[in-house]
Amino acid sequence: MAKPISAGNEQMIRFLVRTHFPSKKPGMKFGSTIVPCILLEASEAHREMLMGKEWDRFHIELLGRVVRSVYENAEGEELHLTEVLVNPRGLLLKRVK
């Protein structure tokens, strides 16, 4: 994971999460993708954990669901979109030992 960064104001933090999801491809049980995330109302504790010197010692878990969709843009290209919809209290931070 890349180091989380402050996004605009002190309560917003941007970071990337690798997420796994059930795959519809033959022979594959799960797929994975990297999804950009924004924590909108970061507490002081979240800021210390994610923006501090030991940011890479924390494991981030999001409780929610993965939504995948495919659409065609104006140029006719097929685009794939992956979103992680997180429950309001669904952010867990654990220190990795």
Side-chain angles (χ1 to χ4, degrees):
M1 175 174 89
K3 181 174 174 55
I5 60 172
S6 185
N9 66 38
E10 289 187 17
Q11 289 190 316
M12 293 173 50
I13 300 174
R14 294 188 315 174
F15 55 95
L16 300 174
V17 171
R18 178 178 296 278
T19 185
H20 302 282
F21 52 85
S23 178
K24 294 179 182 177
K25 293 182 181 177
M28 286 184 66
K29 289 186 178 182
F30 294 96
S32 69
T33 190
I34 294 178
V35 180
C37 298
I38 298 175
L39 178 57
L40 295 175
E41 295 178 4
S43 68
E44 187 60 36
H46 288 142
R47 291 194 62 74
E48 286 178 22
M49 287 184 255
L50 293 173
M51 305 296 291
K53 291 180 183 176
E54 295 186 342
W55 66 271
D56 57 345
R57 294 185 170 256
F58 289 93
H59 179 81
I60 298 173
E61 289 186 20
L62 302 175
L63 303 176
R65 61 189 171 97
V66 176
V67 177
R68 297 174 64 215
S69 60
V70 179
Y71 67 95
E72 203 171 282
N73 67 9
E75 289 79 34
E77 296 175 287
E78 188 175 89
L79 301 175
H80 298 261
L81 178 66
T82 302
E83 296 177 291
V84 178
L85 302 179
V86 178
N87 297 335
R89 299 202 191 294
L91 174 69
L92 303 174
L93 297 168
K94 303 189 292 190
R95 183 179 289 276
V96 177
K97 296 181 181 185

